[in-house]
Amino acid sequence: MTKIDDVARLAGVSTATVSRALRGLPTVSAATRRRVLAAAEQLQYAVSPSASRLAGGRTATVAVIVPRITRWFFGTVVEAVEETLHESGYDLLLYNLGGRERTRQRVLGTANLHKRVDAVILVATPLRRAELAALTVLDLPGVTISSGSEVPGWPCVRIDDVAAARTATRHLLDLGHRRIAHLSGDPDDELAFTTHLDRRRGYQEALRSAGIEPDPCLDVESQFTIDGGEQATIELLARGEPPTAIFAACDEMAMGAMSALRDAGLRVPQDVSVIGIDDHDLAGMLGLTTIAQPAAEQGRLAARILLDPLGGGDLPPPAGPVVPGPRGVGPAGPSAAPLILPTRLVVRDSTAPPRAD
C-alpha cells in the first residue's frame, strides 16, 4: 500500500508539503503542487484525511471556545471563523461552555486540547489563573476576540466598547435627552465576560462630558438577552419616573426593553427612545437604532491571524480598517496590542427627540 512518504520521496519534497499540496493550500507553489500530484497519480496514492493532517505533526484543526453559542454575537463570530478556516483546509472544533462549570474545567482547566488542535481562538472568555497556566503549558498559537479575554502573547481582535457606548449615549444627548437609563450586564453572570464594564464606562463618560452625573437609579444590571432586557426595563420602570431614553448594552437587551415599554403602555420613540449595540440581524426589522459592530469580520480577522503561522494565511485582506498590533504565536510574554475594528452609528426609528412636556 502506497504511503505519503512514498509520494514525498518521488516528488522530492517533505511529507508536510505533500499534505499541503493535496489539500490545496495556497502555501505550495504551482510547480511543486503539479509535481506532487503527478507523483500521487503515478503511485496511485489515495489520500487518507487523518494521515494528511498528521503529516508534520498537525491536526489541521482550530479550537474555538465561546461562552454560549446561542447568543447572536458568538454565533456570528463562529460562522465567520469556520468559513475562513475551511478556505485553507482547516477544521473547527467548537467548545461551547454554556455556563457549565464542569465543561469549563474540562476545556480550560486541563490539557484537553493537547494534540487535538493546532491553535485556539478564545471568544469573550476571561481566563482564571489556573486556566491561563493550563493553556500556557500547551504552547499553542492563539487569538482572543472581545475585551477582557486577553491572553499574554496572543493578539486580541475587538471593537472599542468604551467608544461605542460613548457614541450611543452621545446620540441620545444630541437629540436632547438628559434622563438616560442604561441596561448593563450582570456582574454575577456565569459567563464572566467583562464587555459590559467597558460599555458602562463609555455611557458614564458621555454623560459627564455633557455635565450630567450618572444616576445609579437609572443603571440596571441584567443578562445580555431579550429576557434580561425586558426584566431590567420592568425593574427600571418600577423605580419611579421613567427615563426619556434607554441605552442598552446590546441589541438583544434593547429588544427586550422595547417589549417591556410597549407592555407598560409607553411608545418607542415617542415616550422613550431606545438604542443598543451590535446591529443584530433583527435590528433593521424592528427599527432599532444601534451601534453596528463588525462581528463576522472579527471572526474572519482572528482566523487569518492564526492561519499565518499555520501555513494557510494567503487570504484576502480584512474588509475594514484596523489598528494593527504585534502577532504573538504562543501564550508567553506580554500582551499584544489589540486589533481594533471600527463601529458606526445606525439611526433607525427607535430614537427621537424627547417630548416637549
Side-chain angles (χ1 to χ4, degrees):
M1 179 178 177
T2 303
K3 299 180 180 179
I4 192 172
D5 293 344
D6 301 322
V7 178
R9 278 192 294 271
L10 182 59
V13 297
S14 68
T15 55
T17 299
V18 172
S19 176
R20 289 195 294 270
L22 295 180
R23 282 188 285 135
L25 296 186
T27 52
V28 180
S29 68
T32 299
R33 192 186 314 280
R34 286 193 297 269
R35 195 161 69 249
V36 169
L37 292 175
E41 182 178 2
Q42 179 179 334
L43 297 174
Q44 296 183 329
Y45 174 67
V47 178
S48 165
S50 60
S52 176
R53 290 180 173 189
L54 291 173
R58 289 182 175 176
T59 66
T61 302
V62 173
V64 178
I65 303 171
V66 298
R68 197 181 293 276
I69 192 61
T70 54
R71 304 284 172 86
W72 172 84
F73 175 77
F74 304 135
T76 303
V77 166
V78 168
E79 183 178 20
V81 169
E82 185 174 34
E83 290 176 355
T84 306
L85 292 176
H86 282 180
E87 290 177 16
S88 286
Y90 278 79
D91 291 330
L92 179 148
L93 181 58
L94 177 65
Y95 289 96
N96 176 33
L97 302 184
R100 297 179 294 269
E101 183 62 27
R102 181 175 297 181
T103 301
R104 181 174 182 126
Q105 291 178 359
R106 179 175 61 84
V107 175
L108 294 171
T110 66
N112 184 66
L113 301 176
H114 183 56
K115 293 186 177 180
R116 301 186 68 180
V117 299
D118 296 332
V120 178
I121 295 178
L122 185 68
V123 185
T125 306
L127 295 179
R128 301 161 185 167
R129 182 170 301 185
E131 294 166 348
L132 179 58
L135 205 56
T136 301
V137 170
L138 298 178
D139 194 29
L140 290 172
V143 179
T144 65
I145 299 176
S146 185
S147 60
S149 58
E150 292 85 353
V151 173
W154 287 12
C156 177
V157 177
R158 62 178 178 84
I159 64 169
D160 186 334
D161 289 290
V162 176
R166 275 200 306 263
T167 301
T169 309
R170 193 173 295 131
H171 170 66
L172 298 174
L173 290 165
D174 290 344
L175 288 172
H177 294 279
R178 292 298 178 267
R179 187 171 171 79
I180 302 172
H182 176 45
L183 307 187
S184 182
D186 184 355
D188 297 324
D189 190 333
E190 77 279 3
L191 302 183
F193 55 83
T194 61
T195 300
H196 65 283
L197 300 177
D198 287 339
R199 295 182 182 177
R200 173 184 281 134
R201 177 179 150 200
Y203 157 76
Q204 293 177 343
E205 287 182 357
L207 289 181
R208 290 191 173 108
S209 68
I212 302 171
E213 187 60 27
D215 184 350
C217 291
L218 294 178
D219 194 329
V220 185
E221 297 171 342
S222 190
Q223 303 289 315
F224 266 44
T225 63
I226 294 176
D227 287 344
E230 187 171 16
Q231 292 304 313
T233 305
I234 292 172
E235 179 181 341
L236 176 68
L237 296 177
R239 292 180 178 182
E241 180 187 355
T244 64
I246 293 175
F247 161 49
C250 72
D251 279 358
E252 290 176 76
M253 296 186 83
M255 294 173 192
M258 294 169 72
S259 175
L261 291 169
R262 183 185 63 243
D263 291 345
L266 296 170
R267 300 166 299 167
V268 176
Q270 293 90 338
D271 299 316
V272 182
S273 289
V274 178
I275 187 171
I277 292 181
D278 277 336
D279 203 19
H280 189 286
D281 291 343
L282 298 178
M285 183 181 71
L286 296 175
L288 175 63
T289 297
T290 187
I291 305 299
Q293 68 160 317
E297 187 56 34
Q298 290 177 68
R300 284 190 285 267
L301 181 56
R304 287 189 185 97
I305 291 171
L306 277 187
L307 287 168
D308 279 347
L310 295 178
D314 188 13
L315 291 166
V322 298
V323 178
R327 295 184 175 184
V329 294
S335 296
L339 302 170
I340 308 295
L341 276 72
T343 58
R344 60 188 175 89
L345 172 65
V346 180
V347 179
R348 297 191 177 103
D349 299 332
S350 67
T351 54
R355 295 189 311 180
D357 58 355

